[in-house]
Amino acid sequence: MCGFLHMVFHKFVAKKDFLMRKRCFLFSLVAFITGVMGMAHAAAPSGGQTRQEQLTDLVDSYIGTGGHGHVFLGANVPFGLVQLGPTQPVRGWDWCSGYHYSDSVLVGFSHMHLSGTGIGDLGDVTFLPAANPSVRQTLLSHQQERVRPGYYSLRMEREGIMAELTATKRCGMHRYTYPEGSDQYLLINLDKGIGWDATTDCWLRQTDATTIVGCRRSHGWAKDQWIFFAAEFSKPVTVTPLNADSLTLVQAAAGVPLVVRVGLSPVSADNALLNLREEIQTWDFDAVAASASEAWEKQLSKIRVTSSDQRAQRIFYTALYHTMVAPSVYSDVNGDYRGADGKVRRDAFCNYTTFSLWDTYRAAHPLMTLIHPEMQRDVAQTMLHIYQQQGKLPVWHLMGNETDCMVGNPAIPVVADLAIKGFDIDVTLAFEAARASAMREERGMALLQRYGFIPWDLDPEYETVAKGLEYALADDGVARLAKMAGKTADELAFRQRSRSYRHYFDPTTRFFRGVDSLGHFRTPFSPFHASHRKDDYTEGNAWQYLWLVPHDVEGLVGLLGGPRKFAQKLDSLFVVEGDMGAEASPDISGLIGQYAHGNEPSHHVIYLYNYVGMPWKAAPLLRRVLSELYSDQPDGLCGNEDVGQMSAWYVLSAMGLYQVEPAGGRYVIGSPLFDTMEMNVGGGKTFKVVARDNSKTNIYVQSARLNGRKYTRSYVDFKDIAAGGTLELVMGPRPSRFGRAKSDWPSSHF
């Protein structure tokens, strides 16, 4: 409240005209009182009972909307296609989601957004309510916004309109309250998305007095995206084209609020209407919003944490919320979807899209296997069907399109991990898909097959070290699948290829470096230098990429001279500083020395201390990242959210667990932030982590018990977590002997 009154006071004294000051102050005061009354109403249901606090109350959707977080803000449900929220003009890279906290201009409410990516796609089917038919954009004030999981509202001060939004998986619902007696206009924009794509075709037609249907086809990051929609209005409307079919004005009679129900489909307008009538069968906006909130509460309650640190709880549950924005449902209620080959298909599984796999294979997918086991069959089916339709597993899939964004074969470890963990997946087909993906002659793989590594002088796309390391860890996944499928020769071949990272290691500098076709290391060389997409590394430098061997940590330890020297080199990472150069990617952020938490290749690195018997060295670094590089402010992420990966790291690490191996199922024990954590792992089972004597100073694990028995390993297997039980950790202020014995180290070998 103090901050609000401080803001109102400064607005008051800044005005020159007394009457204007009085009007402004009174408006703000009324808005404040209305907001308090609204919150009081929400907190006290009928009958005078106090509403029980919900986990959704701990979600602050503004976290990550500032800085470089790029997160979506608006109304959606877990893993829904529809992400309905405000869209602003594109002013640069930080507007990739369509919204940035620093901005105050609104162009409308779009039904689709991306969360945390580095590309500004989507922003499809935009609605802008107005009291004047000439309005094309308006102002947005955070003081007039209200947002919670499944609900968004904005009081548009200039127009006097209250806009409210909610959603289901495939539908959005709008409620617009116009000034009494004013005309009710709604501008529908099919021409522009977020701004990084171009409309190739669009159309809109009115089918009856209260229904319109339409389509937008676009070319952008998703090279050929189709989205159909059907909108039903709560009262008759008049439709007037303003610019062919790309800009349309809808007018309704003055009076009661205008409610609009909108269904989306990648297949057809008929399916959009089918989705709409299946998912929203009422005009009761509040009931739909309540259902969206309940959907979020159900998912958020899969993990319950106990702590006196309210700030940490807000960050945690916001992070957990962000991990469930995607992947997004990409099939209609009847099973129809648009495949990776552009053909409309119907299958008996839920098809998904928005796979930022270069990011999410590291933590987001391992987290999903723990708390969303019921989804994993459909995730696997989606990826294997994508293989059958485009000839390879997805790289970065968006709305039925392969973007080929980022390096490596990041779906392979995801598919292999699902097979290793025993999920319902066709292992024979999974191996076939992984092998076929790894043997293509694209993105440097033809050179890899010819030379055993990717020579920098023959690859016009650069980034050869990053490619080589990513392909190596993916090849480890192929080898594991080959073993499960009984393909001995392939297992040996791909296990050998998974060790191809050794070709890039320079024993003199003790870094991975670009190698030419004659076997010479690229010069000049600086381990600090980073040149965005013009160097040997992807969004990083040699210091950051030295550790990208999560599938063969023992092999990397050997290259660096054994456990002691490995640890010394790892120590240096967190203190060494140097000039990365003017062309360094902005993704290299959240620096501690040269450790870059704002970008995904660093995310497993702190946990490597466990692999050499020194988990006590990881503890202070983990607590530092958790407390300093995440906050409950709009700029609370030190890098792009990257479709849930940044948040998944926080969720797992705050629970004291992290999967280092991309495919393997060992969760390394770190330094839990919370006193207790209880995770619903499906099938009526829960896994509990209890950190006794936990505090900001007691950060070191002293001893452990698993299901009541003494436990000395510094990791827990997936099967033990999935079976349910309790991991009890005793915490203390000083390093202990926990995890130091070599028999207790995690191993990346299989």
Side-chain angles (χ1 to χ4, degrees):
M1 183 183 293
C2 292
F4 177 85
L5 294 177
H6 180 75
M7 175 200 71
V8 172
F9 173 76
H10 279 280
K11 283 187 175 181
F12 183 90
V13 299
K15 303 295 184 180
K16 295 180 180 179
D17 181 83
F18 175 75
L19 292 176
M20 182 61 74
R21 292 200 307 260
K22 182 177 179 181
R23 180 182 179 187
C24 180
F25 180 78
L26 288 174
F27 183 87
S28 298
L29 185 60
V30 169
F32 173 72
I33 294 172
T34 301
V36 171
M37 291 178 66
M39 287 185 285
H41 177 73
S46 60
Q49 299 176 353
T50 301
R51 186 178 72 90
Q52 183 178 1
E53 184 181 53
Q54 303 288 303
L55 295 178
T56 51
D57 297 333
L58 294 171
V59 174
D60 184 346
S61 300
Y62 284 113
I63 296 175
T65 60
H68 301 316
H70 299 184
V71 303
F72 158 73
L73 181 95
N76 65 329
V77 295
F79 308 109
L81 171 67
V82 169
Q83 291 161 16
L84 176 57
T87 298
Q88 300 168 334
V90 178
R91 306 188 195 279
W93 184 60
D94 281 330
W95 277 256
C96 285
S97 73
Y99 182 98
H100 195 268
Y101 191 81
S102 65
D103 208 337
S104 60
V105 177
L106 174 76
V107 297
F109 303 110
S110 302
H111 288 78
M112 301 174 73
H113 293 83
L114 286 171
S115 187
T117 72
I119 303 291
D121 226 40
L122 303 188
D124 299 82
V125 190
T126 302
F127 287 8
L128 179 64
N132 185 320
S134 63
V135 171
R136 295 295 179 268
Q137 63 181 32
T138 189
L139 297 179
L140 178 154
S141 168
H142 298 309
Q143 284 70 42
Q144 301 302 321
E145 286 183 303
R146 189 178 179 191
V147 58
R148 64 177 185 266
Y151 174 86
Y152 173 90
S153 71
L154 173 66
R155 186 176 297 280
M156 302 163 64
E157 297 177 85
R158 193 165 67 181
E159 290 78 13
I161 298 172
M162 170 63 98
E164 297 175 276
L165 313 173
T166 190
T168 64
K169 284 186 178 180
R170 301 169 181 85
C171 305
M173 194 170 188
H174 311 238
R175 181 167 65 190
Y176 299 122
T177 304
Y178 294 79
E180 185 176 355
S182 75
D183 293 328
Q184 298 185 356
Y185 295 101
L186 185 66
L187 190 70
I188 300 179
N189 190 341
L190 301 181
D191 181 44
K192 292 190 68 63
I194 297 300
W196 290 34
D197 64 359
T199 302
T200 56
D201 188 22
C202 65
W203 56 265
L204 181 149
R205 67 174 179 267
Q206 185 170 12
T207 59
D208 60 41
T210 58
T211 307
I212 62 172
V213 295
C215 173
R216 179 176 187 252
R217 186 180 183 185
S218 59
H219 172 85
W221 196 24
K223 297 179 179 63
D224 188 20
Q225 182 204 346
W226 294 75
I227 195 69
F228 296 85
F229 73 96
E232 292 184 329
F233 298 85
S234 59
K235 57 178 107 175
V237 295
T238 301
V239 176
T240 305
L242 299 180
N243 181 18
D245 288 329
S246 63
L247 202 62
T248 302
L249 186 67
V250 175
Q251 183 177 5
V256 297
L258 177 65
V259 180
V260 193
R261 308 185 300 197
V262 182
L264 298 189
S265 165
V267 171
S268 69
D270 287 342
N271 274 21
L273 193 59
L274 179 66
N275 291 338
L276 173 58
R277 290 178 176 167
E278 179 70 23
E279 293 191 352
I280 305 182
Q281 299 177 354
T282 178
W283 288 102
D284 187 340
F285 177 92
D286 294 325
V288 177
S291 294
S293 180
E294 289 168 6
W296 279 113
E297 187 69 21
K298 179 180 178 180
Q299 293 297 330
L300 293 171
S301 66
K302 287 185 173 181
I303 305 178
R304 292 190 177 272
V305 299
T306 303
S307 173
S308 59
D309 189 340
Q310 291 294 313
R311 173 183 176 273
Q313 287 187 313
R314 285 195 301 274
I315 297 170
F316 180 87
Y317 280 106
T318 305
L320 186 56
Y321 164 80
H322 281 147
T323 67
M324 293 185 277
V325 174
S328 306
V329 167
Y330 194 63
S331 56
D332 296 327
V333 293
N334 62 359
D336 288 354
Y337 67 95
R338 190 173 296 275
D341 54 3
K343 297 179 181 178
V344 173
R345 300 173 176 276
R346 178 175 294 183
D347 279 304
F349 68 94
C350 181
N351 189 60
Y352 286 98
T353 189
T354 318
F355 287 110
S356 181
L357 290 163
W358 183 83
D359 307 290
T360 57
Y361 82 76
R362 305 168 200 268
H365 280 279
L367 174 63
M368 286 179 68
T369 63
L370 294 176
I371 63 174
H372 305 299
E374 73 285 352
M375 288 178 57
Q376 300 316 300
R377 177 185 179 275
D378 288 341
V379 169
Q381 289 274 24
T382 296
M383 292 189 179
L384 294 179
H385 279 74
I386 288 174
Y387 154 67
Q388 292 173 325
Q389 293 158 18
Q390 68 177 26
K392 65 180 180 182
L393 289 167
V395 179
W396 208 128
H397 232 256
L398 178 63
M399 304 301 155
N401 287 257
E402 181 58 74
T403 71
D404 277 325
C405 187
M406 309 308 291
V407 297
N409 279 318
I412 291 177
V414 173
V415 169
D417 195 49
L418 292 176
I420 291 167
K421 290 175 177 175
F423 286 101
D424 183 6
I425 183 172
D426 184 334
V427 172
T428 301
L429 180 59
F431 165 68
E432 175 192 315
R435 188 185 188 283
S437 301
M439 295 301 291
R440 292 175 68 90
E441 297 187 353
E442 63 181 25
R443 300 181 296 122
M445 280 186 282
L447 294 170
L448 174 62
Q449 293 171 49
R450 178 179 176 185
Y451 289 90
F453 62 96
I454 306 175
W456 71 263
D457 58 326
L458 299 182
D459 188 343
E461 298 175 355
Y462 297 102
E463 303 180 311
T464 57
V465 173
K467 288 178 182 176
L469 300 183
E470 292 282 359
Y471 285 141
L473 68 86
D475 287 341
D476 177 78
V478 184
R480 291 173 187 251
L481 286 168
K483 182 177 182 179
M484 296 182 71
K487 305 290 185 179
T488 304
D490 285 302
E491 178 195 348
L492 294 175
F494 279 98
R495 184 178 294 185
Q496 180 179 356
R497 219 173 82 162
S498 74
R499 304 301 189 255
S500 62
Y501 68 87
R502 297 170 181 267
H503 287 282
Y504 308 96
F505 186 74
D506 175 11
T508 302
T509 61
R510 299 173 75 223
F511 286 103
F512 291 122
R513 297 175 56 182
V515 186
D516 68 17
S517 53
L518 298 177
H520 301 139
F521 290 109
R522 186 177 184 180
T523 56
F525 171 73
S526 165
F528 298 101
H529 184 262
S531 180
H532 192 42
R533 305 203 183 284
K534 296 180 182 178
D535 209 340
D536 297 322
Y537 314 97
T538 299
E539 299 175 359
N541 62 21
W543 268 109
Q544 290 139 21
Y545 270 87
L546 175 59
W547 317 100
L548 192 58
V549 192
H551 64 292
D552 185 24
V553 180
E554 291 85 349
L556 180 60
V557 170
L559 288 180
L560 289 173
R564 184 178 62 84
K565 290 185 176 180
F566 176 89
Q568 289 175 345
K569 188 81 169 183
L570 189 52
D571 292 343
S572 299
L573 173 71
F574 299 98
V575 295
V576 69
E577 295 183 358
D579 183 11
M580 289 189 289
E583 295 184 340
S585 169
D587 292 286
I588 309 173
S589 58
L591 291 170
I592 301 176
Q594 286 299 293
Y595 172 83
H597 190 74
N599 211 24
E600 281 65 28
S602 290
H603 277 189
H604 69 290
V605 172
I606 297 176
Y607 291 95
L608 294 178
Y609 279 116
N610 288 52
Y611 286 75
V612 290
M614 302 180 188
W616 58 272
K617 285 195 171 187
L621 290 165
L622 291 170
R623 290 295 184 100
R624 181 178 176 184
V625 173
L626 287 165
S627 62
E628 295 181 10
L629 298 182
Y630 293 83
S631 81
D632 59 354
Q633 300 302 306
D635 61 349
L637 296 174
C638 64
N640 293 357
E641 167 60 18
D642 283 314
V643 195
Q645 171 60 27
M646 282 288 290
S647 289
W649 187 96
Y650 187 93
V651 169
L652 284 169
S653 295
M655 294 192 298
L657 302 168
Y658 193 84
Q659 180 173 310
V660 170
E661 301 160 72
R666 297 179 184 91
Y667 290 79
V668 175
I669 297 173
S671 180
L673 192 61
F674 299 107
D675 301 334
T676 64
M677 178 283 299
E678 190 168 342
M679 177 167 49
N680 182 341
V681 294
K685 300 185 290 285
T686 60
F687 185 78
K688 194 172 186 178
V689 177
V690 179
R692 302 204 181 279
D693 302 322
N694 196 27
S695 69
K696 291 183 179 179
T697 54
N698 290 4
I699 64 175
Y700 302 98
V701 176
Q702 306 295 298
S703 63
R705 301 183 76 84
L706 180 62
N707 299 329
R709 296 183 178 181
K710 183 179 179 181
Y711 192 79
T712 58
R713 296 174 180 174
S714 65
Y715 65 94
V716 183
D717 283 325
F718 171 81
K719 61 181 177 59
D720 293 322
I721 300 174
T726 300
L727 175 66
E728 182 180 348
L729 305 174
V730 176
M731 309 300 292
R734 290 175 295 276
S736 71
R737 300 297 303 174
F738 177 76
R740 295 200 186 195
K742 192 167 185 178
S743 58
D744 295 327
W745 301 0
S747 170
S748 56
H749 289 166
F750 69 99

